Amino acid sequence: MLIEKKVINIKLNSQLYLKPEYDIHPIISGNKFRKLKYNIENLNKGNYSGILTFGGAFSNHIAATAAAGNILGIPTVGVIRGLELARNDKINPTLKSAVENGMKLEFISRKDYKNKNQDKFIKSLLKKYSEYYILSEGGTNNLAVKGCEEILSENDLIFDIVCCSVGTGGTISGIINASSSSQKVLGFPALKNPQIHKDICKFVKKSNWKLFCDYHFGGYAKVNSELIRFMNKFKMDFKITLDPVYTSKMIYGVFDLIKKEVISEKDKVLIIHTGGIQGIEGMNYYLKKNNFDLIL
Ligand SMILES: Cc1ncc(COP(=O)(O)O)c(C=O)c1O
């Protein structure tokens, strides 16, 4: 079983509090822990040989699933988007750590990856990995959402607004389900996904939420020097490290909405830091190669 630690909100200023979900476990950080918790419980009830899941080169979910598999003695397979990543010189720290944690990587083309949710494609994978527990990209499914419902505690009902980053939509869905209807939940997609609103609607019934889709900085794992400056200043001001793929974009968005008075100064705001810090090493490797400022 994975053991979780209680996380305690950090006060940033009189208006803003941050929930350090990265503190929940030393290795399986943030929403990844929440998403895996009930899926692993379910896997343990069945006769599965391991977990097979999906992700991109920087995927926190791949890193976390590999680490959980290693801790719990469960074999793991990661189906990775991008055949070019199979070359040894392209293996980044995220994928390297997954391999070190015993995960077997199956690289597939970006074209094939688009079929990852189709029955025919899954059946072809199961021919090789029969009896594996299939966990969708980003680990999002009903059980993951159930786990993410535990992100908010009763004490968090004092907040008017709860903000979180959005990838596949599982995390925000859990937060929406656990919120009170007088609270507003604001989501900040970290990638361009025109389907995301629909995806979230599959898991939630409430309407107290809204997405702000202008803070993806060009797409998944794309950054610019403004974002990196923001992350480094945030770290200097609050001694909190943000990740370059998700939380930095969301918190940049929150600060911008406060500046533009879309979020009123009277609103008490809780920001969920969903972890992902493991991705910094890989991003810095890329930034250094392209002569960008590095993440501190
Ligand atoms: C650190 C981090 N924050 C937020 C998210 C977004 O979560 P979701 O895919 O459930 O929307 C992810 C991706 O899963 C993540 O790795």
Side-chain angles (χ1 to χ4, degrees), residues 3-282:
I3 311 286
E4 67 198 74
K5 207 178 109 192
K6 197 172 174 332
V7 298
I8 297 168
N9 293 342
I10 299 168
K11 182 175 181 177
L12 301 183
N13 60 37
S14 58
Q15 177 179 31
L16 287 175
Y17 285 72
L18 181 140
K19 187 178 283 295
E21 280 279 295
Y22 50 79
D23 263 354
I24 192 169
H25 188 276
I27 303 166
I28 304 149
S29 117
N31 61 343
K32 302 302 161 215
F33 185 99
R34 306 283 186 187
K35 288 179 172 187
L36 286 169
K37 180 176 166 184
Y38 291 110
N39 274 296
I40 287 176
E41 206 178 279
N42 195 31
L43 175 144
N44 285 334
K45 283 186 210 149
N47 237 346
Y48 295 100
S49 326
I51 306 177
L52 183 146
T53 192
F54 304 82
F58 290 96
S59 171
N60 296 312
H61 168 64
I62 288 289
T65 306
N70 192 22
I71 293 168
L72 300 171
I74 302 169
T76 53
V77 174
V79 178
I80 309 297
R81 181 184 58 224
L83 271 177
E84 74 283 0
L85 298 168
R87 283 198 355 238
N88 249 352
D89 62 332
K90 291 262 179 179
I91 286 267
N92 70 15
T94 300
L95 299 181
K96 197 163 165 255
S97 89
V99 171
E100 282 164 4
N101 277 318
M103 181 175 262
K104 185 166 177 343
L105 302 182
E106 290 280 357
F107 295 94
I108 62 171
S109 70
R110 283 157 201 276
K111 194 167 152 240
D112 287 346
Y113 193 83
K114 289 199 175 119
N115 300 328
K116 63 185 176 300
N117 295 325
Q118 290 182 5
D119 282 353
K120 201 171 146 205
F121 182 71
I122 302 279
K123 272 192 193 138
S124 74
L125 280 171
L126 283 174
K127 268 192 202 149
K128 190 164 175 191
Y129 298 105
S130 60
E131 313 298 331
Y132 268 63
Y133 186 90
I134 305 282
L135 196 50
S136 51
E137 185 184 41
T140 287
N141 59 15
N142 285 321
L143 291 174
V145 172
K146 179 178 167 188
C148 291
E149 287 171 7
E150 295 175 1
I151 292 175
L152 288 188
S153 74
E154 273 192 15
N155 295 340
D156 297 327
L157 293 174
I158 57 158
F159 292 101
D160 303 300
I161 295 179
V162 181
C163 298
C164 81
S165 177
V166 176
T168 56
T171 307
I172 193 170
S173 296
I175 292 171
I176 295 165
N177 289 343
S179 67
S180 87
S181 42
S182 62
Q183 292 182 304
K184 277 195 206 123
V185 181
L186 309 185
F188 296 78
L191 56 150
K192 297 182 211 165
N193 173 4
Q195 293 298 318
I196 188 62
H197 201 274
K198 263 198 200 149
D199 291 345
I200 296 169
C201 285
K202 286 182 209 150
F203 296 111
V204 305
K205 292 201 175 64
K206 294 183 184 164
S207 55
N208 61 334
W209 58 283
K210 187 171 175 174
L211 298 181
F212 288 89
C213 297
D214 293 332
Y215 297 102
H216 55 64
F217 285 78
Y220 179 71
K222 299 247 167 71
V223 295
N224 64 18
S225 36
E226 190 183 352
L227 185 68
I228 291 166
R229 265 200 307 276
F230 175 78
M231 292 170 73
N232 289 343
K233 178 161 179 359
F234 191 89
K235 184 161 184 176
M236 282 209 326
D237 291 348
F238 302 109
K239 312 279 172 285
I240 293 170
T241 305
L242 303 178
D243 84 288
V245 181
Y246 292 100
T247 54
S248 55
K249 296 179 181 182
M250 179 265 294
I251 297 181
Y252 182 101
V254 173
F255 278 41
D256 194 48
L257 294 181
I258 291 172
K259 199 164 82 196
K260 290 177 175 154
E261 298 179 12
V262 177
I263 294 178
S264 146
E265 60 179 23
K266 290 192 207 117
D267 287 326
K268 253 195 165 12
V269 180
L270 179 65
I271 298 167
I272 312 294
H273 188 320
T274 38
I277 292 161
Q278 67 81 28
I280 291 177
E281 197 187 341

